[in-house]
């Protein structure tokens, strides 16, 4: 379905902002017929729009469509600089069409209409859902309102994970839009962290950046920054300002040329098959002998069952920002280009769909 | 006895004390042995299918907990060990802050904290009666942070009915002196975090300053050729912040001869 949408150029009309849409608009978009010249439309879509299209389309996207990595894999030499910058933009502007519905058990004064929103993959639920809250507060009695929280098919959604990670982990192979249920009562404090203000999100975000730099540079770069520089990183994320953010973030992506990469790669591997929330350990981008470590090397060390042995069928998908990068992709390149704004490489290992 | 401390890096630019994960494990084992002898209640919990794990201990505390967002309270708080009845809190009504979480504010001027002597307890106004002190169950976990190469303290607290305490309530149970010191930066303080091995909400004491305060201790120990248990030493520093008791006997038992040597004034 998404390929058809891409062909029809439908997603080109989305400017990428998080304004709400009415149900009828979305219904109209989802049912639109391909135009007379679908092949031309598909070719003329930018990489950014392709990434934004998500599930079915991106499941098949090899990383080379995003530019850069294929040449890097094949020759081991430097990638195309212009393509690499495009990758940063594609990652930043990735969006997930979402439908918010109020929990049926919550008492309302009149019927609650669902609310549609394009969620930024790299942001956090509680940061971008003020409009969702306003929308539903119109129909709920003030007495019944406690801290808002979100749930997908019975699973409370952890606001402190980037939105794209939550989607890839829980809903990646499902039909768009992503259907999230909104709650205002019975906050599950055994599962979710509280988030009473944006300063909590900021503290969490900055804490991740600090931790990532502890791994990459022994905290030297982040400690050399001033308070206003830290603020710039946060404001860039909060206000969706790519240039403002990267003006500062590029410092966190530098490394001494003789080292060949960061000291350790900040990463987390998520899965839903066990209780453990994620795997995070020390891993170098380059071996002591000078070999470049790949995504495959990382998984073999940290999550060997994610990679099938020769002859075995593939049981898991390894997903970053909604795509499955080639296992030969150098980890250092992934860390520099596919990290989230918090400077961590968030990797989801999900079972291959059975249908 | 071999030095159970960390390893010192030899880069010229900096000498930092980084504790390897295997060192963390051996320090924990030593601590466990002593805990067993002292009946201090620590146990080792391991993660399924791996060598990773953490130290765990639960303890009961009797406290008066203030759950309102007003966190600039005055009061006296004796050592939690000897205190079984109420602490007296002078609860001055203050205007509510816009952000109720203490971690958010850097505005030191708006905090007024007067430490009331124990002697003044009779003179002061005790607005909270003995009846409202609660028994709370605290659970403490010590994990290893590979990002910071240090131990990290996670904890949570429940009423006996099973209600978990909020950050405001936990914050209010910390001695005002410690609160002041913890407030200077949101990252050098207590915040709610996801437990990295269990996935549940806990409170965490941020580890990014640990190396800073451990460095002089470890340096001195090495200079004096004195064996030190990094985890135990670290715990003795952070435990008072969260009302965790670390009996002195841990240190007396280990090095009786060292204790005698170190009673001379500097």
């Amino acid at each position: 379905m998404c390929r058809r949408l891409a062909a029809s150029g439908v997603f080109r009309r989305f400017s990428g902002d998080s304004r709400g849409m009415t149900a009828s608009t979305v219904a109209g978009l989802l049912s639109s017929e391909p135009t007379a010249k679908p092949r031309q439309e598909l070719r003329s879509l930018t990489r950014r729009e392709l990434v934004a299209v998500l599930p079915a389309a991106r499941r098949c996207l090899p990383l080379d469509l995003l530019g850069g990595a294929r040449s890097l894999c094949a020759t081991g030499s430097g990638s195309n600089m212009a393509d690499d910058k495009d990758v940063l933009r594609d990652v930043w502007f990735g969006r997930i069409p979402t439908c918010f519905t109020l929990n049926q058990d919550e008492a309302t004064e009149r019927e609650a209409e669902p609310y549609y929103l394009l969620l930024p993959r790299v942001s956090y639920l509680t940061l971008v859902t003020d409009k969702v809250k306003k929308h539903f507060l119109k129909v709920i009695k003030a007495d019944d309102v406690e801290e808002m929280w979100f749930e997908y098919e019975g699973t409370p959604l952890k606001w402190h994970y980037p939105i794209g990670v939550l989607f890839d982990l829980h809903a990646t192979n499902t039909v768009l839009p992503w259907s999230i249920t909104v709650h205002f009562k019975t906050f599950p404090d055994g599962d979710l962290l509280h988030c009473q203000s944006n300063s909590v999100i900021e503290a969490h975000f900055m804490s991740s950046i600090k931790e990532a730099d502890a791994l990459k540079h022994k905290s030297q770069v982040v400690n050399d920054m001033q308070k206003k520089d830290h603020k710039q990183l946060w404001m860039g994320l909060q206000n969706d300002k790519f240039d403002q953010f990267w003006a500062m973030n590029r410092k966190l992506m530098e490394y001494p040329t003789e080292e060949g990469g960061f000291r350790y790669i900040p990463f987390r591997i998520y899965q839903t098959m066990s209780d453990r929330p994620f795997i995070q350990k020390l891993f170098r981008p380059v071996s002591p002998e000078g070999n470049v470590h790949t995504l495959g090397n990382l998984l073999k060390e940290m999550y060997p069952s994610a990679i099938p042995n020769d002859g075995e069928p593939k049981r898991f998908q390894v997903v970053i920002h909604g795509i499955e990068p080639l296992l030969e992709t150098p980890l250092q390149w992934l860390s520099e280009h596919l990290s989230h704004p918090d400077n961590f490489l968030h990797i989801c290992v999900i079972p291959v769909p059975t249908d | 006895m071999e030095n159970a401390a960390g390893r010192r890096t030899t880069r010229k630019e900096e000498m930092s004390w980084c504790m390897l994960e295997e060192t963390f494990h051996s320090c924990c084992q030593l601590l466990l042995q002593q805990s067993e002898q002292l009946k201090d209640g620590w146990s080792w919990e391991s993660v399924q299918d791996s060598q990773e794990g953490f130290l765990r201990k639960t303890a009961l505390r009797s406290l008066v907990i203030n759950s309102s967002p007003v966190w600039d309270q005055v009061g006296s708080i004796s050592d939690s060990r000897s205190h079984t009845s109420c602490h007296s809190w002078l609860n001055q009504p203050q205007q509510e802050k816009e952000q109720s979480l203490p971690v958010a504010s850097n505005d030191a001027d708006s905090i007024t904290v007067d430490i009331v002597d124990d002697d003044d307890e009779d003179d002061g106004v005790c607005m909270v009666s003995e009846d409202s002190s609660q028994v709370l169950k605290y659970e403490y976990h010590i994990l290893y942070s590979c990002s910071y190469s240090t131990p990290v303290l996670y904890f949570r607290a429940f009423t006996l009915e099973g209600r978990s305490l909020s950050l405001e309530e936990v914050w209010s149970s910390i001695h005002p002196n410690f609160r002041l010191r913890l407030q200077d930066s949101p990252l050098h303080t207590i915040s709610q975090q996801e437990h990295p091995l269990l996935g549940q909400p806990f409170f965490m004491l941020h580890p990014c300053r640990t190396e800073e305060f451990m460095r002089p201790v470890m340096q001195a120990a090495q200079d004096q050729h004195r064996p030190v248990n990094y985890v135990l030493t670290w715990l003795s520093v952070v435990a008072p912040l969260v009302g965790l008791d670390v009996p002195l006997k841990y240190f007396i038992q280990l090095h009786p001869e060292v204790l005698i040597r170190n009673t001379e004034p500097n």
Side-chain angles (χ1 to χ4, degrees), chain A residues 158-161 188-200 203-204 206-208 210-212 214-215 218-220 227 259 263-264 268 270 274-282 344, chain B residues 9 11 13-14 16 18 21 47-48 50 52 99-101 103-104 106 144-149 163-164 166 168 184-188 192-202 204 206 208:
Chain A
K158 299 180 179 179
W159 66 261
H160 67 284
Y161 287 6
D189 59 12
D191 295 306
L192 299 181
L193 305 180
H194 284 283
C195 184
Q196 283 101 330
S197 74
N198 278 4
S199 55
V200 176
H204 168 77
M206 290 313 301
S207 179
S208 295
K210 261 207 143 200
E211 186 179 352
L215 288 165
K218 290 179 149 194
S219 303
Q220 277 158 10
K227 232 181 176 146
E259 302 285 340
R263 184 160 184 256
Y264 295 107
R268 286 193 179 161
Y270 302 87
S274 83
D275 283 340
R276 186 176 183 156
F278 54 80
I279 296 166
Q280 181 186 341
K281 297 197 193 141
L282 296 180
F344 268 82
Chain B
T9 62
R11 289 166 71 110
E13 308 87 55
E14 49 167 76
S16 75
C18 63
E21 189 160 7
V47 173
Q48 201 183 33
S50 88
E52 291 167 272
Q99 291 151 350
S100 59
L101 285 175
V103 299
N106 284 334
Y144 178 73
S145 162
C146 57
S147 306
Y148 293 103
S149 304
R163 179 181 73 82
S164 58
S166 69
E168 291 89 348
D184 65 355
S185 163
L187 285 182
H188 307 145
Q192 205 188 22
Q193 299 287 335
E194 179 183 38
H195 192 291
L197 297 175
L198 301 179
Q200 293 160 15
F202 271 72
M204 179 196 78
H206 208 279
C208 64

Side-chain angles (χ1 to χ4, degrees), chain B residues 87-105:
Chain B
H87 304 212
S88 62
W89 295 92
L90 259 170
N91 200 344
Q92 288 175 355
Q94 296 277 347
Q95 66 190 102
E96 281 200 24
K97 294 198 149 294
E98 188 190 2
Q99 291 151 350
S100 59
L101 285 175
V103 299
S105 173

Side-chain angles (χ1 to χ4, degrees), chain A residues 74-93:
Chain A
T75 66
S77 60
S79 54
N80 184 320
M81 284 275 286
D83 282 339
D84 278 0
K85 288 250 159 53
D86 283 342
V87 172
L88 298 182
R89 294 199 97 91
D90 292 342
V91 164
W92 181 272
F93 290 107

Side-chain angles (χ1 to χ4, degrees), chain A residues 54-282:
Chain A
L54 305 155
R58 53 139 170 79
R59 200 187 314 155
C60 319
L61 279 180
L63 192 59
D64 63 326
L65 263 187
L66 293 185
R70 169 114 93 170
S71 56
L72 198 58
C73 297
T75 66
S77 60
S79 54
N80 184 320
M81 284 275 286
D83 282 339
D84 278 0
K85 288 250 159 53
D86 283 342
V87 172
L88 298 182
R89 294 199 97 91
D90 292 342
V91 164
W92 181 272
F93 290 107
R95 296 286 187 265
I96 299 174
T98 310
C99 169
F100 290 92
T101 312
L102 185 63
N103 173 35
Q104 286 172 328
D105 297 337
E106 312 238 343
T108 56
E109 286 161 3
R110 33 180 204 288
E111 199 186 321
E113 292 263 310
Y115 192 81
Y116 292 84
L117 204 56
L118 274 179
L119 296 179
R121 272 184 160 273
V122 300
S123 191
Y124 302 93
L125 275 174
T126 43
L127 191 57
V128 297
T129 48
D130 279 344
K131 291 185 184 145
V132 175
K133 192 172 184 179
K134 279 206 186 77
H135 170 81
F136 289 116
L137 286 185
K138 286 188 263 179
V139 299
I140 305 179
K141 276 187 290 202
D143 300 342
D144 289 344
V145 173
E146 293 162 15
E147 188 175 345
M148 181 171 67
W149 58 281
F150 304 101
E151 161 248 313
Y152 174 71
E153 295 196 342
T155 306
L157 294 176
K158 299 180 179 179
W159 66 261
H160 67 284
Y161 287 6
I163 292 168
V165 175
L166 291 170
F167 179 80
D168 290 340
L169 203 54
H170 298 297
T172 194
N173 292 304
T174 64
V175 170
L176 289 178
W178 187 19
S179 293
I180 293 182
T181 308
V182 184
H183 294 255
F184 288 95
K185 305 201 77 163
T186 60
F187 188 89
D189 59 12
D191 295 306
L192 299 181
L193 305 180
H194 284 283
C195 184
Q196 283 101 330
S197 74
N198 278 4
S199 55
V200 176
I201 312 173
E202 180 180 1
H204 168 77
F205 177 69
M206 290 313 301
S207 179
S208 295
I209 287 190
K210 261 207 143 200
E211 186 179 352
D213 202 56
L215 288 165
K216 289 198 274 189
H217 305 116
K218 290 179 149 194
S219 303
Q220 277 158 10
V221 177
V222 79
N223 285 346
D224 277 348
M225 285 182 175
Q226 299 176 331
K227 232 181 176 146
K228 66 175 175 68
D229 299 336
H230 293 170
K231 206 68 178 173
Q232 187 171 333
L233 290 166
W234 166 248
M235 299 300 283
L237 177 74
Q238 186 183 33
N239 302 327
D240 196 23
K241 296 269 189 269
F242 175 84
D243 293 313
Q244 182 187 20
F245 176 80
W246 271 98
M248 214 36 73
N249 198 50
R250 61 178 184 80
K251 296 185 195 172
L252 296 168
M253 292 299 179
E254 289 168 352
Y255 57 87
T257 25
E258 66 270 16
E259 302 285 340
F262 304 133
R263 184 160 184 256
Y264 295 107
I265 299 291
F267 73 90
R268 286 193 179 161
I269 301 175
Y270 302 87
Q271 44 77 44
T272 49
M273 284 77 69
S274 83
D275 283 340
R276 186 176 183 156
F278 54 80
I279 296 166
Q280 181 186 341
K281 297 197 193 141
L282 296 180

Side-chain angles (χ1 to χ4, degrees), chain A residues 276, chain B residues 21 24-25 28-29 32 41-58 139-144 156 195 197-198 202:
Chain A
R276 186 176 183 156
Chain B
E21 189 160 7
F24 172 75
H25 281 262
C28 288
Q29 292 309 312
L32 278 170
W42 286 98
S43 63
W44 178 260
E45 310 291 320
S46 47
V47 173
Q48 201 183 33
D49 297 339
S50 88
Q51 291 196 320
E52 291 167 272
F54 53 94
L55 283 174
R56 180 178 180 272
K57 176 179 169 177
T58 56
E139 187 180 343
Y140 303 97
H141 293 196
I142 301 178
L143 275 72
Y144 178 73
R156 56 184 176 181
H195 192 291
L197 297 175
L198 301 179
F202 271 72

